[in-house]
Amino acid sequence: MKNRAMQWLAMTTLILITVTIFTTMNLSFSWVFYLTVAGQALLVVTVYKVLKDDYKTDKTFEDFYEDRPDLGSSEEVD
């Protein structure tokens, strides 16, 4: 199963981490500026892709936390 939204998220993260590295290395302002603009545009596209992703699950609110089943129960735990 390919999840294209996660690929977009990984690519955006790598671009914005690269901006941080370039800034600390005192690279040319133009490189940092254009990479920042590209990263921001990619971020907008990524948010759109994540929100429009055709993801289906069989979980409901009754499942609550799977790692802490006591949090979802109506019983009081001491």
Side-chain angles (χ1 to χ4, degrees):
M1 177 174 99
K2 279 191 169 181
N3 193 348
R4 302 286 289 171
M6 295 308 285
Q7 292 173 350
W8 279 93
L9 186 61
M11 186 171 47
T12 302
T13 302
L14 287 175
I15 294 266
L16 295 176
I17 288 173
T18 304
V19 168
T20 306
I21 292 170
F22 281 6
T23 302
T24 59
M25 292 174 53
N26 290 328
L27 248 65
S28 171
F29 175 76
S30 61
W31 277 99
V32 174
F33 175 75
Y34 291 126
L35 205 54
T36 301
V37 170
Q40 290 173 349
L42 217 56
L43 183 62
V44 171
V45 172
T46 300
V47 168
Y48 176 79
K49 294 285 187 181
V50 167
L51 292 176
K52 295 302 258 181
D53 191 28
D54 189 28
Y55 178 77
K56 302 283 189 242
T57 184
D58 59 350
K59 304 292 182 198
T60 64
F61 284 109
E62 293 171 0
D63 294 327
F64 208 58
Y65 291 106
E66 291 182 349
D67 60 338
R68 292 278 311 272
D70 59 316
L71 291 178
S73 66
S74 59
E75 301 172 6
E76 187 172 319
V77 179
D78 294 327

